[in-house]
Amino acid sequence: MAEINKPLLIKRYASRRLYNTETSDYVTLEDIALFIREGREVQIVDLKSGDDLTRQYLLQIISEHESRGENVLPVDVLTDLVRSYTTQAASVVPQFLQASFEMLRDGQSKAMENMGKANPMAAMPGFEAMRAQQAAFFKAMTGGMIPGSSGPAKEEDDLVEIKSQLAELQEKLSKLNK
């Protein structure tokens, strides 16, 4: 049985076909998206050069979902992301996005906990499977960061740092708009 914590290695051949090294068969982008939705980490490498192509393929998966009308990213967010590649804000954006997804995941986790306590549906069959699926989704969306992985003091320090970075980003954006 495959080790869940170990990334699933996908090799890209010169023909651009993607090969699952665990099951010894070819896979599609949709298969890779399914692995990720199931909570699996994936690494895609070029067979010949050994280059890591994971980011490129993940962006392609997102692009295909967005083009099919499965819009998760508003146009304003996409526009701001494009702008961030050409400004000094590019150094702050990754940390800001990571912190935002962490807050989203933590909020979702707390909401699911509270829903389980106050919701009679929690006793229904399949409810735990739904919670596990949501947890896998948020893990995939946030790069596998684990909630509560740092102590309370570290979390306070991180929050102060995030607020500082956000203030800096807002200041830079206001200067750009002038």
Side-chain angles (χ1 to χ4, degrees):
M1 177 173 262
E3 185 180 328
I4 298 296
N5 295 333
K6 182 179 169 189
L8 171 61
L9 180 62
I10 306 288
K11 293 183 179 180
R12 184 187 76 173
Y13 284 90
S15 64
R16 301 212 178 266
R17 292 189 71 186
L18 301 168
Y19 185 77
N20 181 340
T21 59
E22 283 184 5
T23 59
S24 301
D25 62 348
Y26 291 101
V27 293
T28 64
L29 284 178
E30 201 54 46
D31 294 328
I32 292 171
L34 179 63
F35 297 144
I36 293 169
R37 281 191 293 272
E38 291 173 344
R40 195 69 198 274
E41 297 294 322
V42 174
Q43 181 181 17
I44 304 167
V45 297
D46 184 87
L47 181 65
K48 188 174 183 178
S49 68
D51 292 342
D52 189 339
L53 306 173
T54 307
R55 178 183 305 267
Q56 171 186 326
Y57 277 94
L58 293 178
L59 286 169
Q60 187 174 347
I61 290 168
I62 292 168
S63 176
E64 287 188 11
H65 282 278
E66 289 284 323
S67 69
R68 288 192 299 236
E70 301 171 30
N71 301 41
V72 172
L73 300 169
V75 172
D76 291 346
V77 170
L78 294 171
T79 302
D80 288 342
L81 281 172
V82 170
R83 280 190 191 114
S84 74
Y85 279 93
T86 59
T87 66
Q88 292 178 350
S91 63
V92 180
V93 172
Q95 293 92 357
F96 177 76
L97 289 174
Q98 184 174 1
S100 296
F101 274 105
E102 186 173 327
M103 288 188 306
L104 175 67
R105 185 189 60 251
D106 290 346
Q108 176 68 21
S109 176
K110 288 175 185 169
M112 287 301 291
E113 284 176 25
N114 292 337
M115 188 168 57
K117 292 175 185 173
N119 189 347
M121 287 180 55
M124 293 182 70
F127 187 77
E128 280 303 313
M130 181 182 79
R131 284 183 57 158
Q133 184 178 15
Q134 280 192 320
F137 169 77
F138 281 102
K139 181 179 178 188
M141 290 295 292
T142 58
M145 295 181 297
I146 300 169
S149 60
S150 59
K154 175 88 169 88
E155 288 176 8
E156 263 185 46
D157 292 344
D158 289 346
L159 185 58
V160 169
E161 183 180 340
I162 290 167
K163 286 180 180 179
S164 171
Q165 289 174 350
L166 181 57
E168 288 175 25
L169 179 59
Q170 287 172 337
E171 183 180 307
K172 288 178 183 180
L173 288 174
S174 67
K175 286 180 183 177
L176 290 173
N177 290 332
K178 290 182 182 180

